[in-house]
Amino acid sequence: MISKEHIIKRFTSYVTIDTESDPTSDTTPSTKKQWDLANKLAEELRAIGMQDVTIDDNAYIMATLPSNVDYNVPTIGFISHFDTSPDFTGANVKPQVIENYHGGDIVLNKEENIILSPDYFEDLKLYIGQTLITTDGTTLLGADDKAGICEIVSAMEYLINHPEIKHGKIRVGFTPDEEIGRGAHKFDVEKFAADWAYTMDGSQIGELEYENFNAASAVVKVKGKIVHPGYAKGKMINSMYIATEFINSLPRIETPEHTSEYQGFFHLHDIEGNVEETTLQYIIRDHDMGHFEARKEVMQKLTNELNSQYGREVITTEIKDQYYNMREKIIPVMHIVDIAEEAMKQLNIEPLIKAIRGGTDGAQLSYKGLPCPNIFAGGHNFHGRYEYVPVESMIKATEVICKIAELTALEEK
Protein backbone atom coordinates (compact mmCIF):
# COMPACT_ATOMS: atom_id res chain seq x y z
CA MET A 1 0.00 0.00 0.00
CA ILE A 2 1.33 3.43 -0.95
CA SER A 3 1.63 5.70 2.07
CA LYS A 4 -0.57 8.81 2.13
CA GLU A 5 2.00 10.65 4.24
CA HIS A 6 4.74 9.78 1.75
CA ILE A 7 2.71 11.11 -1.17
CA ILE A 8 1.87 14.34 0.69
CA LYS A 9 5.50 14.94 1.66
CA ARG A 10 6.78 14.33 -1.87
CA PHE A 11 4.09 16.41 -3.57
CA THR A 12 4.42 19.41 -1.25
CA SER A 13 8.20 19.37 -1.69
CA TYR A 14 7.62 19.84 -5.43
CA VAL A 15 4.93 22.51 -5.37
CA THR A 16 6.87 24.79 -3.03
CA ILE A 17 9.50 25.19 -5.77
CA ASP A 18 8.51 27.92 -8.23
CA THR A 19 8.66 26.63 -11.82
CA GLU A 20 6.45 29.09 -13.70
CA SER A 21 7.22 29.13 -17.42
CA ASP A 22 7.43 32.26 -19.59
CA PRO A 23 5.95 32.45 -23.10
CA THR A 24 7.99 35.57 -23.93
CA SER A 25 11.31 33.78 -23.42
CA ASP A 26 13.13 32.04 -26.27
CA THR A 27 15.27 29.81 -24.04
CA THR A 28 14.63 26.21 -22.99
CA PRO A 29 13.61 26.00 -20.26
CA SER A 30 11.95 29.38 -20.57
CA THR A 31 12.83 30.28 -16.96
CA LYS A 32 15.99 29.50 -15.00
CA LYS A 33 13.98 28.58 -11.91
CA GLN A 34 12.68 25.44 -13.62
CA TRP A 35 16.19 24.04 -13.16
CA ASP A 36 15.66 24.04 -9.38
CA LEU A 37 13.06 21.30 -9.57
CA ALA A 38 14.62 19.59 -12.58
CA ASN A 39 17.89 19.02 -10.75
CA LYS A 40 16.05 17.86 -7.63
CA LEU A 41 14.07 15.33 -9.67
CA ALA A 42 17.17 13.93 -11.35
CA GLU A 43 18.78 13.45 -7.93
CA GLU A 44 15.64 11.86 -6.52
CA LEU A 45 15.35 9.40 -9.40
CA ARG A 46 18.92 8.27 -8.75
CA ALA A 47 18.23 8.04 -5.01
CA ILE A 48 15.24 5.69 -5.41
CA GLY A 49 17.26 3.38 -7.65
CA MET A 50 16.35 4.37 -11.21
CA GLN A 51 19.00 3.73 -13.87
CA ASP A 52 20.26 5.72 -16.87
CA VAL A 53 19.13 8.98 -15.29
CA THR A 54 19.92 11.87 -17.63
CA ILE A 55 19.18 15.58 -17.69
CA ASP A 56 20.09 17.38 -20.89
CA ASP A 57 21.02 20.99 -21.63
CA ASN A 58 17.34 21.91 -21.97
CA ALA A 59 16.32 20.31 -18.63
CA TYR A 60 14.59 17.26 -20.15
CA ILE A 61 14.89 14.37 -17.70
CA MET A 62 14.80 10.69 -18.62
CA ALA A 63 15.35 7.55 -16.56
CA THR A 64 14.92 3.78 -16.80
CA LEU A 65 13.45 1.06 -14.63
CA PRO A 66 14.87 -2.15 -16.14
CA SER A 67 12.66 -5.12 -16.89
CA ASN A 68 12.47 -7.84 -14.23
CA VAL A 69 11.14 -10.58 -16.54
CA ASP A 70 13.06 -12.93 -18.83
CA TYR A 71 10.84 -12.53 -21.89
CA ASN A 72 10.27 -9.70 -24.34
CA VAL A 73 7.88 -6.98 -23.20
CA PRO A 74 7.21 -3.66 -24.95
CA THR A 75 9.00 -0.69 -23.42
CA ILE A 76 6.43 1.72 -22.04
CA GLY A 77 6.87 5.26 -20.77
CA PHE A 78 5.28 7.71 -18.33
CA ILE A 79 5.67 11.46 -18.85
CA SER A 80 4.80 14.62 -16.91
CA HIS A 81 5.87 18.28 -16.97
CA PHE A 82 7.37 20.24 -14.11
CA ASP A 83 6.61 23.81 -15.19
CA THR A 84 3.50 25.62 -13.99
CA SER A 85 1.24 27.99 -15.87
CA PRO A 86 2.07 31.69 -16.26
CA ASP A 87 -1.68 32.39 -16.00
CA PHE A 88 -1.36 32.79 -12.23
CA THR A 89 1.58 33.16 -9.89
CA GLY A 90 3.38 30.03 -8.73
CA ALA A 91 5.79 31.83 -6.38
CA ASN A 92 5.71 31.14 -2.64
CA VAL A 93 3.14 28.36 -2.84
CA LYS A 94 1.84 27.50 0.62
CA PRO A 95 -0.10 24.22 0.33
CA GLN A 96 -2.77 23.46 2.89
CA VAL A 97 -3.70 19.90 3.82
CA ILE A 98 -7.40 19.44 4.61
CA GLU A 99 -8.00 16.14 6.38
CA ASN A 100 -11.37 14.39 6.15
CA TYR A 101 -13.06 17.02 3.96
CA HIS A 102 -16.51 17.70 5.42
CA GLY A 103 -18.25 18.73 2.21
CA GLY A 104 -18.69 22.44 2.92
CA ASP A 105 -16.80 25.64 2.22
CA ILE A 106 -13.03 25.64 2.66
CA VAL A 107 -11.56 28.96 3.80
CA LEU A 108 -8.36 29.29 1.82
CA ASN A 109 -7.47 32.74 3.09
CA LYS A 110 -9.38 34.30 5.97
CA GLU A 111 -7.76 37.73 5.65
CA GLU A 112 -8.73 38.07 1.98
CA ASN A 113 -12.02 36.14 2.31
CA ILE A 114 -11.01 33.61 -0.38
CA ILE A 115 -13.25 30.55 -0.16
CA LEU A 116 -13.25 27.27 -2.08
CA SER A 117 -16.92 26.37 -2.17
CA PRO A 118 -18.80 23.30 -3.48
CA ASP A 119 -21.65 25.68 -4.35
CA TYR A 120 -19.46 26.89 -7.22
CA PHE A 121 -17.00 24.02 -7.67
CA GLU A 122 -19.38 21.07 -7.53
CA ASP A 123 -16.66 18.45 -8.07
CA LEU A 124 -15.62 18.98 -4.45
CA LYS A 125 -18.61 16.86 -3.45
CA LEU A 126 -16.92 13.83 -5.04
CA TYR A 127 -14.26 13.91 -2.35
CA ILE A 128 -16.15 14.16 0.93
CA GLY A 129 -14.20 12.32 3.61
CA GLN A 130 -10.94 12.48 1.68
CA THR A 131 -7.74 14.47 2.21
CA LEU A 132 -7.43 17.54 -0.02
CA ILE A 133 -4.40 19.68 -0.70
CA THR A 134 -5.32 23.28 -1.55
CA THR A 135 -3.61 26.62 -2.00
CA ASP A 136 -3.71 29.47 0.52
CA GLY A 137 -5.67 31.48 -2.04
CA THR A 138 -2.78 33.66 -3.20
CA THR A 139 -1.13 31.31 -5.73
CA LEU A 140 -1.90 28.33 -7.89
CA LEU A 141 -1.03 24.93 -6.42
CA GLY A 142 0.93 23.27 -9.21
CA ALA A 143 -0.88 19.93 -9.26
CA ASP A 144 -0.72 20.54 -13.00
CA ASP A 145 1.51 18.70 -13.35
CA LYS A 146 3.54 18.11 -10.22
CA ALA A 147 0.88 15.64 -9.14
CA GLY A 148 1.77 13.63 -12.24
CA ILE A 149 5.47 13.76 -11.41
CA CYS A 150 4.78 12.72 -7.82
CA GLU A 151 2.75 9.75 -9.04
CA ILE A 152 5.38 8.58 -11.54
CA VAL A 153 8.26 8.83 -9.06
CA SER A 154 6.19 7.12 -6.36
CA ALA A 155 5.16 4.33 -8.74
CA MET A 156 8.76 3.69 -9.78
CA GLU A 157 9.84 3.63 -6.15
CA TYR A 158 7.05 1.17 -5.33
CA LEU A 159 7.97 -1.15 -8.21
CA ILE A 160 11.63 -1.06 -7.18
CA ASN A 161 10.68 -1.97 -3.62
CA HIS A 162 8.26 -4.70 -4.76
CA PRO A 163 10.09 -6.84 -7.31
CA GLU A 164 7.34 -9.44 -7.05
CA ILE A 165 5.35 -7.18 -9.41
CA LYS A 166 6.54 -8.24 -12.84
CA HIS A 167 7.05 -5.60 -15.51
CA GLY A 168 9.02 -4.85 -18.64
CA LYS A 169 11.38 -1.95 -19.20
CA ILE A 170 9.86 1.38 -18.15
CA ARG A 171 11.05 4.82 -19.21
CA VAL A 172 10.08 8.02 -17.44
CA GLY A 173 10.37 11.53 -18.81
CA PHE A 174 9.88 14.95 -17.25
CA THR A 175 9.65 18.05 -19.42
CA PRO A 176 9.83 21.84 -19.05
CA ASP A 177 7.58 24.44 -20.70
CA GLU A 178 4.49 22.32 -21.40
CA GLU A 179 2.25 25.12 -20.18
CA ILE A 180 3.48 27.40 -22.97
CA GLY A 181 3.08 24.71 -25.62
CA ARG A 182 6.74 23.71 -25.93
CA GLY A 183 6.98 20.66 -23.68
CA ALA A 184 7.47 18.20 -26.54
CA HIS A 185 9.43 20.49 -28.86
CA LYS A 186 12.85 19.25 -27.78
CA PHE A 187 11.81 15.87 -26.40
CA ASP A 188 14.10 13.25 -27.96
CA VAL A 189 11.68 10.45 -28.87
CA GLU A 190 14.47 8.31 -30.31
CA LYS A 191 16.50 8.58 -27.10
CA PHE A 192 13.40 7.84 -24.99
CA ALA A 193 13.02 4.63 -27.00
CA ALA A 194 9.59 3.54 -25.78
CA ASP A 195 6.99 1.69 -27.82
CA TRP A 196 4.31 3.93 -26.35
CA ALA A 197 3.81 6.15 -23.32
CA TYR A 198 1.22 7.83 -21.13
CA THR A 199 1.16 11.41 -19.92
CA MET A 200 -0.04 11.69 -16.32
CA ASP A 201 -1.61 15.09 -16.86
CA GLY A 202 -5.38 14.72 -16.58
CA SER A 203 -7.75 15.96 -13.93
CA GLN A 204 -10.55 14.01 -12.23
CA ILE A 205 -9.94 10.46 -11.06
CA GLY A 206 -10.73 8.01 -13.85
CA GLU A 207 -10.01 10.31 -16.79
CA LEU A 208 -8.51 8.52 -19.78
CA GLU A 209 -8.10 10.60 -22.92
CA TYR A 210 -6.85 9.95 -26.43
CA GLU A 211 -8.52 12.86 -28.22
CA ASN A 212 -7.63 16.52 -27.91
CA PHE A 213 -8.13 19.81 -29.70
CA ASN A 214 -6.52 20.79 -32.95
CA ALA A 215 -4.94 24.08 -31.93
CA ALA A 216 -3.72 27.30 -33.52
CA SER A 217 -2.79 30.79 -32.37
CA ALA A 218 -3.82 33.95 -34.19
CA VAL A 219 -2.30 37.41 -33.84
CA VAL A 220 -4.52 40.12 -35.30
CA LYS A 221 -2.89 43.54 -35.78
CA VAL A 222 -5.00 46.59 -36.62
CA LYS A 223 -3.40 49.79 -37.94
CA GLY A 224 -5.00 53.16 -37.28
CA LYS A 225 -3.98 56.77 -37.81
CA ILE A 226 -3.59 59.28 -35.01
CA VAL A 227 -4.18 63.00 -35.44
CA HIS A 228 -5.19 65.72 -33.02
CA PRO A 229 -8.77 64.87 -31.93
CA GLY A 230 -9.83 68.48 -32.36
CA TYR A 231 -9.00 68.30 -36.06
CA ALA A 232 -9.65 64.60 -36.66
CA LYS A 233 -12.70 64.70 -38.92
CA GLY A 234 -12.04 62.66 -42.06
CA LYS A 235 -8.47 61.99 -40.98
CA MET A 236 -8.33 59.90 -37.78
CA ILE A 237 -8.67 56.12 -38.02
CA ASN A 238 -9.14 54.57 -34.58
CA SER A 239 -7.65 51.07 -34.60
CA MET A 240 -9.60 50.12 -31.47
CA TYR A 241 -12.93 50.60 -33.23
CA ILE A 242 -11.83 48.40 -36.14
CA ALA A 243 -10.61 45.79 -33.64
CA THR A 244 -14.03 45.91 -31.99
CA GLU A 245 -15.64 45.27 -35.38
CA PHE A 246 -13.42 42.22 -35.79
CA ILE A 247 -14.23 40.90 -32.33
CA ASN A 248 -17.98 41.39 -32.73
CA SER A 249 -18.02 39.75 -36.17
CA LEU A 250 -16.87 36.39 -34.78
CA PRO A 251 -19.62 34.10 -33.41
CA ARG A 252 -20.23 35.29 -29.86
CA ILE A 253 -21.42 31.91 -28.57
CA GLU A 254 -18.40 30.07 -30.00
CA THR A 255 -16.19 31.05 -27.09
CA PRO A 256 -14.87 28.96 -24.18
CA GLU A 257 -17.56 30.13 -21.76
CA HIS A 258 -20.32 28.96 -24.12
CA THR A 259 -18.92 25.62 -25.32
CA SER A 260 -18.32 22.10 -23.98
CA GLU A 261 -17.48 18.53 -25.02
CA TYR A 262 -16.68 18.45 -28.76
CA GLN A 263 -17.60 22.08 -29.46
CA GLY A 264 -14.74 24.25 -30.70
CA PHE A 265 -14.17 27.95 -30.09
CA PHE A 266 -12.38 31.21 -30.78
CA HIS A 267 -10.80 32.62 -27.62
CA LEU A 268 -9.61 36.21 -27.33
CA HIS A 269 -7.11 35.95 -24.48
CA ASP A 270 -5.21 39.22 -24.76
CA ILE A 271 -5.80 42.71 -26.16
CA GLU A 272 -3.52 45.74 -26.20
CA GLY A 273 -4.21 48.89 -28.10
CA ASN A 274 -4.45 52.59 -28.73
CA VAL A 275 -5.66 54.73 -31.60
CA GLU A 276 -2.60 54.00 -33.74
CA GLU A 277 -2.41 50.23 -33.28
CA THR A 278 -4.34 47.43 -31.57
CA THR A 279 -3.23 43.82 -31.22
CA LEU A 280 -5.62 40.96 -30.52
CA GLN A 281 -4.33 37.54 -29.53
CA TYR A 282 -6.57 34.54 -30.10
CA ILE A 283 -6.39 30.81 -29.78
CA ILE A 284 -8.46 28.63 -32.12
CA ARG A 285 -9.58 25.18 -31.01
CA ASP A 286 -11.62 22.34 -32.53
CA HIS A 287 -11.51 18.54 -32.29
CA ASP A 288 -12.67 18.12 -35.89
CA MET A 289 -9.96 18.93 -38.45
CA GLY A 290 -12.48 20.18 -41.03
CA HIS A 291 -14.06 22.54 -38.53
CA PHE A 292 -10.61 23.62 -37.36
CA GLU A 293 -9.59 24.61 -40.88
CA ALA A 294 -12.94 26.38 -41.35
CA ARG A 295 -12.35 28.46 -38.22
CA LYS A 296 -9.01 29.65 -39.56
CA GLU A 297 -10.67 30.53 -42.86
CA VAL A 298 -13.37 32.53 -41.05
CA MET A 299 -10.72 34.72 -39.41
CA GLN A 300 -8.86 35.25 -42.66
CA LYS A 301 -12.06 36.03 -44.58
CA LEU A 302 -13.09 38.57 -41.94
CA THR A 303 -9.67 40.18 -42.23
CA ASN A 304 -10.05 40.50 -46.00
CA GLU A 305 -13.55 41.90 -45.69
CA LEU A 306 -12.49 44.64 -43.29
CA ASN A 307 -9.56 45.59 -45.50
CA SER A 308 -11.95 45.80 -48.45
CA GLN A 309 -14.38 47.88 -46.40
CA TYR A 310 -11.70 50.43 -45.49
CA GLY A 311 -10.11 50.40 -48.93
CA ARG A 312 -6.62 49.57 -47.67
CA GLU A 313 -4.81 47.10 -45.45
CA VAL A 314 -5.86 48.14 -41.97
CA ILE A 315 -5.70 44.66 -40.47
CA THR A 316 -3.41 41.63 -40.72
CA THR A 317 -3.95 38.19 -39.21
CA GLU A 318 -1.12 35.70 -38.66
CA ILE A 319 -2.26 32.18 -37.80
CA LYS A 320 0.11 29.44 -36.64
CA ASP A 321 -0.82 25.83 -35.95
CA GLN A 322 0.28 24.61 -32.52
CA TYR A 323 -0.72 20.92 -32.25
CA TYR A 324 -3.22 18.42 -33.62
CA ASN A 325 -5.72 15.87 -32.35
CA MET A 326 -3.81 12.75 -31.28
CA ARG A 327 -6.81 10.53 -32.08
CA GLU A 328 -5.48 9.86 -35.58
CA LYS A 329 -2.26 8.41 -34.12
CA ILE A 330 -3.88 6.46 -31.26
CA ILE A 331 -6.70 4.66 -33.11
CA PRO A 332 -4.24 2.30 -34.92
CA VAL A 333 -2.81 1.24 -31.52
CA MET A 334 -5.95 1.27 -29.37
CA HIS A 335 -4.67 -1.60 -27.27
CA ILE A 336 -2.59 0.94 -25.33
CA VAL A 337 -5.83 2.66 -24.27
CA ASP A 338 -7.42 -0.72 -23.53
CA ILE A 339 -4.57 -1.60 -21.15
CA ALA A 340 -5.02 1.66 -19.21
CA GLU A 341 -8.78 1.14 -19.08
CA GLU A 342 -8.38 -2.41 -17.78
CA ALA A 343 -5.86 -1.20 -15.17
CA MET A 344 -8.43 1.24 -13.82
CA LYS A 345 -11.20 -1.36 -13.76
CA GLN A 346 -9.02 -3.79 -11.81
CA LEU A 347 -8.45 -1.02 -9.26
CA ASN A 348 -12.19 -0.30 -9.00
CA ILE A 349 -11.84 3.04 -10.76
CA GLU A 350 -14.57 3.93 -13.25
CA PRO A 351 -12.83 4.94 -16.50
CA LEU A 352 -13.99 8.31 -17.83
CA ILE A 353 -13.02 8.18 -21.49
CA LYS A 354 -13.51 11.58 -23.06
CA ALA A 355 -11.90 14.17 -25.27
CA ILE A 356 -9.47 16.67 -23.74
CA ARG A 357 -10.60 20.25 -24.11
CA GLY A 358 -7.01 21.30 -24.35
CA GLY A 359 -3.71 19.67 -25.20
CA THR A 360 -0.90 17.78 -23.53
CA ASP A 361 2.68 16.90 -24.39
CA GLY A 362 1.16 13.62 -25.56
CA ALA A 363 -0.54 15.27 -28.53
CA GLN A 364 2.73 16.48 -30.02
CA LEU A 365 4.62 13.35 -28.97
CA SER A 366 2.06 11.18 -30.77
CA TYR A 367 2.84 13.04 -33.98
CA LYS A 368 6.56 12.61 -33.32
CA GLY A 369 6.14 8.83 -33.30
CA LEU A 370 5.40 8.14 -29.62
CA PRO A 371 1.70 7.28 -29.17
CA CYS A 372 0.78 8.86 -25.87
CA PRO A 373 -2.72 8.88 -24.32
CA ASN A 374 -3.41 10.91 -21.19
CA ILE A 375 -4.33 9.62 -17.72
CA PHE A 376 -5.72 11.47 -14.70
CA ALA A 377 -3.35 13.02 -12.20
CA GLY A 378 -6.15 14.02 -9.84
CA GLY A 379 -6.10 17.82 -9.65
CA HIS A 380 -8.95 20.26 -10.22
CA ASN A 381 -9.29 23.97 -11.06
CA PHE A 382 -5.85 24.22 -12.65
CA HIS A 383 -4.04 27.52 -13.24
CA GLY A 384 -5.63 29.48 -10.42
CA ARG A 385 -6.08 30.12 -6.72
CA TYR A 386 -8.84 27.51 -6.36
CA GLU A 387 -6.71 24.59 -7.50
CA TYR A 388 -6.81 21.48 -5.32
CA VAL A 389 -5.96 17.78 -5.47
CA PRO A 390 -7.32 14.85 -3.42
CA VAL A 391 -4.48 12.77 -2.02
CA GLU A 392 -6.51 9.59 -2.58
CA SER A 393 -6.65 10.40 -6.31
CA MET A 394 -2.86 10.71 -6.43
CA ILE A 395 -2.53 7.35 -4.70
CA LYS A 396 -4.93 5.78 -7.21
CA ALA A 397 -3.01 7.29 -10.13
CA THR A 398 0.19 5.83 -8.71
CA GLU A 399 -1.49 2.43 -8.50
CA VAL A 400 -2.72 2.77 -12.12
CA ILE A 401 0.88 3.26 -13.30
CA CYS A 402 1.98 0.11 -11.48
CA LYS A 403 -0.99 -1.86 -12.80
CA ILE A 404 -0.37 -0.75 -16.41
CA ALA A 405 3.23 -1.97 -16.10
CA GLU A 406 2.03 -5.29 -14.69
CA LEU A 407 -0.68 -5.80 -17.32
CA THR A 408 1.70 -4.97 -20.17
CA ALA A 409 4.03 -7.70 -18.98
CA LEU A 410 1.20 -10.21 -18.51
CA GLU A 411 -0.23 -9.48 -21.96
CA GLU A 412 3.05 -10.43 -23.62
CA LYS A 413 3.75 -13.53 -21.55
Side-chain angles (χ1 to χ4, degrees):
M1 185 68 178
I2 295 164
S3 163
K4 179 186 289 188
E5 291 72 24
H6 195 48
I7 288 284
I8 293 172
K9 182 178 180 181
R10 173 168 280 145
F11 176 70
T12 54
S13 77
Y14 296 164
V15 299
T16 51
I17 300 173
D18 181 10
T19 57
E20 184 178 325
S21 47
D22 179 6
T24 67
S25 169
D26 59 5
T27 63
T28 304
S30 62
T31 51
K32 288 184 179 179
K33 55 191 175 184
Q34 290 184 63
W35 281 105
D36 296 338
L37 182 53
N39 287 323
K40 170 183 169 66
L41 290 172
E43 292 174 7
E44 189 170 354
L45 288 168
R46 294 186 185 101
I48 66 171
M50 294 292 284
Q51 297 186 15
D52 305 323
V53 179
T54 62
I55 180 167
D56 68 14
D57 293 340
N58 297 305
Y60 285 78
I61 301 165
M62 296 183 184
T64 301
L65 179 61
S67 172
N68 63 1
V69 298
D70 59 2
Y71 51 90
N72 291 329
V73 176
T75 298
I76 61 174
F78 295 94
I79 298 169
S80 290
H81 64 91
F82 49 78
D83 69 311
T84 59
S85 172
D87 290 350
F88 202 72
T89 181
N92 301 311
V93 173
K94 298 179 179 66
Q96 302 186 101
V97 179
I98 313 298
E99 298 278 359
N100 192 25
Y101 171 55
H102 52 73
D105 289 353
I106 299 172
V107 178
L108 299 179
N109 192 299
K110 185 176 181 180
E111 291 75 17
E112 298 186 31
N113 193 32
I114 300 171
I115 296 171
L116 178 62
S117 174
D119 292 339
Y120 194 86
F121 299 107
E122 294 182 358
D123 286 341
L124 278 165
K125 297 174 184 177
L126 297 171
Y127 306 109
I128 293 173
Q130 297 191 24
T131 299
L132 307 183
I133 302 178
T134 73
T135 74
D136 71 346
T138 63
T139 69
L140 51 66
L141 179 62
D144 180 13
D145 190 25
K146 293 171 184 175
I149 290 176
C150 177
E151 291 150 11
I152 292 171
V153 175
S154 298
M156 295 304 103
E157 183 177 42
Y158 191 84
L159 290 172
I160 288 168
N161 292 334
H162 292 82
E164 70 276 9
I165 301 174
K166 301 305 177 185
H167 58 81
K169 182 179 179 181
I170 301 172
R171 293 282 279 160
V172 302
F174 301 140
T175 71
D177 292 339
E178 188 270 355
E179 293 292 359
I180 56 174
R182 305 181 203 162
H185 284 192
K186 296 182 180 180
F187 189 98
D188 191 336
V189 168
E190 185 176 348
K191 176 184 174 183
F192 196 61
D195 293 283
W196 69 83
Y198 303 91
T199 49
M200 303 299 298
D201 196 15
S203 181
Q204 179 181 339
I205 184 170
E207 284 186 353
L208 173 57
E209 302 155 325
Y210 63 91
E211 298 179 79
N212 61 279
F213 277 137
N214 296 294
S217 64
V219 179
V220 181
K221 292 188 176 181
V222 186
K223 294 290 186 181
K225 188 173 291 185
I226 182 70
V227 296
H228 190 290
Y231 306 92
K233 186 174 182 179
K235 299 181 180 67
M236 179 185 287
I237 299 174
N238 192 322
S239 73
M240 292 181 286
Y241 291 147
I242 301 172
T244 301
E245 287 185 68
F246 186 96
I247 294 167
N248 290 337
S249 295
L250 291 173
R252 181 64 187 91
I253 62 171
E254 294 184 20
T255 57
E257 61 269 33
H258 294 100
T259 53
S260 62
E261 297 181 346
Y262 283 92
Q263 297 170 323
F265 57 74
F266 303 93
H267 176 44
L268 176 62
H269 65 87
D270 192 69
I271 181 170
E272 182 176 354
N274 51 41
V275 173
E276 189 77 11
E277 181 174 292
T278 297
T279 300
L280 312 175
Q281 295 195 39
Y282 280 88
I283 60 172
I284 305 165
R285 299 290 188 265
D286 212 297
H287 290 97
D288 181 272
M289 180 58 78
H291 294 167
F292 175 62
E293 294 296 337
R295 290 185 183 281
K296 293 189 289 182
E297 289 174 12
V298 164
M299 295 193 83
Q300 197 59 62
K301 183 179 179 182
L302 178 56
T303 299
N304 296 339
E305 287 176 352
L306 285 169
N307 285 334
S308 178
Q309 176 183 324
Y310 283 89
R312 67 182 183 89
E313 187 179 87
V314 294
I315 183 169
T316 60
T317 298
E318 182 181 9
I319 299 174
K320 292 183 178 179
D321 288 355
Q322 296 170 307
Y323 53 83
Y324 302 108
N325 192 341
M326 74 171 89
R327 184 180 190 276
E328 177 183 334
K329 301 298 181 181
I330 302 298
I331 290 296
V333 289
M334 272 298 289
H335 68 283
I336 71 178
V337 176
D338 296 339
I339 291 171
E341 183 178 6
E342 179 60 26
M344 291 185 193
K345 288 178 178 177
Q346 290 196 19
L347 294 167
N348 297 314
I349 300 168
E350 181 182 354
L352 303 174
I353 301 177
K354 61 185 186 64
I356 308 170
R357 288 185 60 79
T360 70
D361 278 344
Q364 295 183 48
L365 291 171
S366 293
Y367 278 85
K368 292 179 73 170
L370 181 65
C372 201
N374 190 46
I375 294 173
F376 73 92
H380 288 261
N381 304 341
F382 296 146
H383 299 189
R385 68 175 83 242
Y386 299 105
E387 187 180 3
Y388 70 92
V389 62
V391 176
E392 287 81 356
S393 294
M394 285 197 287
I395 291 173
K396 282 295 186 182
T398 304
E399 292 173 352
V400 167
I401 294 170
C402 295
K403 183 61 71 172
I404 287 173
E406 183 181 7
L407 290 177
T408 303
L410 288 173
E411 187 176 79
E412 298 297 319
K413 191 170 183 180

